[in-house]
């Protein structure tokens, strides 16, 4: 639906949410064998306000009609804790590399609700750089996976693209210069599949080198030996392989949630809802959505003594 426009059209997205959300919730319930529900967690923000309002309204309505308590969850907290959906779950503290279409963040996670942002992108998010480069290569939207597939046919050493911010101190990122370098390379290269594959592979290598370098630096500076990767770009095979190699070399543990827990998913929102279940409140008439919401304003869950030990989902 959005591919024709080369990006998400907010109004189309929220209208589609209205049509699909309730049938989707019912299908998920059926597939889970109609479990007894004890609460409803939904994504309260940050994000596009129209789409958020649809989810918030449905959560509030379901809360009232089913007489269940409701909790609005921070989308990025979901991504940060998504590795806890897997076994073995990482122990705290860990460094999380959160790489999605909207965010590039390095976060120190000391427990549920204890987040320190160490670095972030000063311009484009990594996923956005993937999508924009893919668009320039004529790969459609969202182009990240298509670009990664094309890169497997190319030579990652064909172009020496900039490794943004790697030489500079600190843990921030910048990807707009790399995007420009890709644009210039496309203009100069023949319009063949082979030439485009070389550009894709070299772009991906530059991104991977940058991310791996910054992760290693964050782990060193924080004296933490656990890294988790989350967000849509965390599904990238080349990034996973490079981080696993670096983990073996530098002696840190690395955790990669499976593909469907890396990209946007509802399981991670349910997990946060569960860990914060004592904060759930009865469904109310007005829907609560927050388009801008800082991760660092979050606090540890109320009444959860296990918030700094590994997640236990049972019980
Ligand atoms: O976390 P996510 O599903 O949605 C949000 O942005 O919140 O991330 C989507 C982003 C898109 O930019 C998409 O192109 C990128 O993740 N992505 C990938 C891959 N799979 C998804 N980028 C590179 N390689 C992939 N395999
Ligand atoms: Zn996301």
């Amino acid at each position: 639906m959005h591919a024709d426009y080369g990006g998400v059209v907010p109004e189309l997205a929220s209208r589609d949410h209205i049509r699909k959300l309730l049938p989707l919730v019912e299908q998920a319930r059926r597939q889970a064998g109609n479990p007894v529900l004890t609460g409803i967690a939904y994504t309260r923000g940050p994000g596009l306000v129209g789409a958020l309002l649809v989810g918030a309204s449905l959560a509030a309505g379901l809360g009232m009609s089913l007489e269940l308590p409701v909790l609005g969850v921070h989308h990025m907290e979901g991504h940060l804790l998504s590795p806890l959906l897997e076994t073995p779950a990482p122990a705290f503290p860990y460094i999380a590399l959160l790489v999605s279409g909207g965010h590039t963040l390095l976060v120190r996670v000391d427990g549920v609700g204890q987040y320190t942002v160490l670095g972030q992108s000063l311009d484009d998010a990594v996923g956005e750089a993937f999508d924009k480069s893919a668009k320039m290569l004529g790969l459609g939207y969202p182009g990240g996976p298509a670009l990664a597939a094309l890169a497997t046919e190319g030579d990652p050493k064909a172009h020496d693209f900039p490794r943004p911010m790697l030489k500079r101190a600190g843990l921030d990122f910048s990807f707009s210069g790399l995007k420009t370098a890709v644009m210039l390379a496309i203009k100069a290269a023949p319009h063949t599949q082979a030439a485009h594959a070389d550009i894709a592979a070299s772009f991906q290598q530059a991104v991977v080198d940058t991310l791996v370098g910054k992760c290693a630096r964050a782990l060193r500076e924080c004296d933490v030996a656990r890294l988790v990767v989350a967000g849509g770009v965390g599904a990238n095979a080349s990034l996973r392989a490079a981080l696993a190699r670096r983990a073996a070399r530098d002696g840190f543990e690395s955790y990669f949630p499976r593909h469907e827990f890396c990209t946007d998913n509802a399981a991670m929102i349910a997990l946060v809802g569960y860990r914060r279940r004592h904060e759930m409140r009865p469904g109310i008439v007005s829907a609560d959505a927050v388009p801008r919401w800082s991760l660092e304003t979050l606090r540890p869950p109320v009444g959860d003594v296990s918030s700094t030990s590994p997640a236990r989902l049972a019980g």
Side-chain angles (χ1 to χ4, degrees):
M1 182 194 291
H2 301 286
D4 290 346
Y5 304 92
V8 171
V9 184
E11 186 61 23
L12 288 182
S14 30
R15 282 168 195 239
D16 202 43
H17 282 40
I18 292 175
R19 277 191 292 273
K20 290 184 179 149
L21 202 46
L22 193 53
L24 189 64
V25 168
E26 295 197 320
Q27 183 188 333
R29 257 186 103 171
R30 262 199 316 279
Q31 279 179 10
N34 288 315
V36 176
L37 301 180
T38 54
I40 296 169
Y42 72 95
T43 305
R44 179 171 174 246
L48 298 171
V49 70
L52 290 172
L53 273 173
V54 178
S57 307
L58 183 70
L62 284 177
M64 281 193 290
S65 60
L66 302 175
E67 294 181 22
L68 288 174
V70 176
L71 182 71
V73 168
H74 196 291
H75 178 74
M76 306 308 271
E77 180 168 47
H79 276 305
L80 283 182
L81 300 184
S82 63
L84 305 184
L85 290 163
E86 299 285 21
T87 318
F92 299 119
Y94 55 77
I95 302 295
L97 172 69
L98 218 168
V99 275
S100 73
H103 290 88
T104 306
L105 289 173
L106 269 169
V107 184
R108 182 190 165 110
V109 181
D110 284 294
V112 178
Q114 296 174 253
Y115 313 121
T116 312
V117 175
L118 304 169
Q120 55 194 311
S121 179
L122 303 175
D123 38 63
D124 290 356
V126 190
E128 207 177 346
F130 264 94
D131 293 338
K132 286 180 178 170
S133 298
K135 194 175 174 184
M136 292 191 274
L137 289 165
L139 296 174
Y141 178 89
L147 190 150
L150 181 61
T152 60
E153 301 169 22
D155 174 9
K157 293 202 177 78
H159 299 268
D160 188 19
F161 288 139
R163 271 63 175 154
M165 315 283 280
L166 209 48
K167 291 209 181 80
R168 240 184 288 168
L171 295 167
D172 285 332
F173 303 89
S174 165
F175 291 101
S176 64
L178 176 59
K179 188 182 64 189
T180 308
V182 168
M183 187 184 74
L184 294 174
I186 293 172
K187 277 195 180 145
H191 287 280
T192 61
Q193 168 97 355
H196 281 182
D198 282 348
I199 293 171
S202 302
F203 162 81
Q204 179 173 264
Q205 193 61 51
V207 170
V208 167
D209 287 351
T210 304
L211 294 177
V212 172
K214 294 280 178 173
C215 285
R217 189 180 291 174
L219 290 160
R220 221 169 33 241
E221 286 181 6
C222 292
D223 198 19
V224 169
R226 263 181 301 269
L227 177 75
V228 314
V229 180
V233 184
N236 185 275
S238 173
L239 175 63
R240 288 176 171 235
L243 282 172
R245 273 196 306 275
R246 185 64 173 252
R249 200 190 89 186
D250 288 7
F252 60 84
E253 294 170 33
S254 58
Y255 293 82
F256 307 100
R258 77 190 77 152
H259 193 293
E260 60 263 45
F261 293 156
C262 268
T263 53
D264 284 350
N265 67 87
M268 68 187 191
I269 302 303
L271 170 68
V272 175
Y274 175 73
R275 298 303 297 257
R276 293 187 175 280
R277 60 197 175 281
H278 301 298
E279 295 164 42
M280 291 195 161
R281 296 287 170 266
I284 47 165
V285 183
S286 69
D288 183 19
V290 186
R292 289 176 154 272
W293 185 5
S294 160
L295 194 54
E296 289 185 306
T297 61
L298 298 179
R299 294 290 167 257
V302 171
D304 179 3
V305 288
S306 67
S307 64
T308 51
S309 63
R312 277 198 316 273
L313 276 174

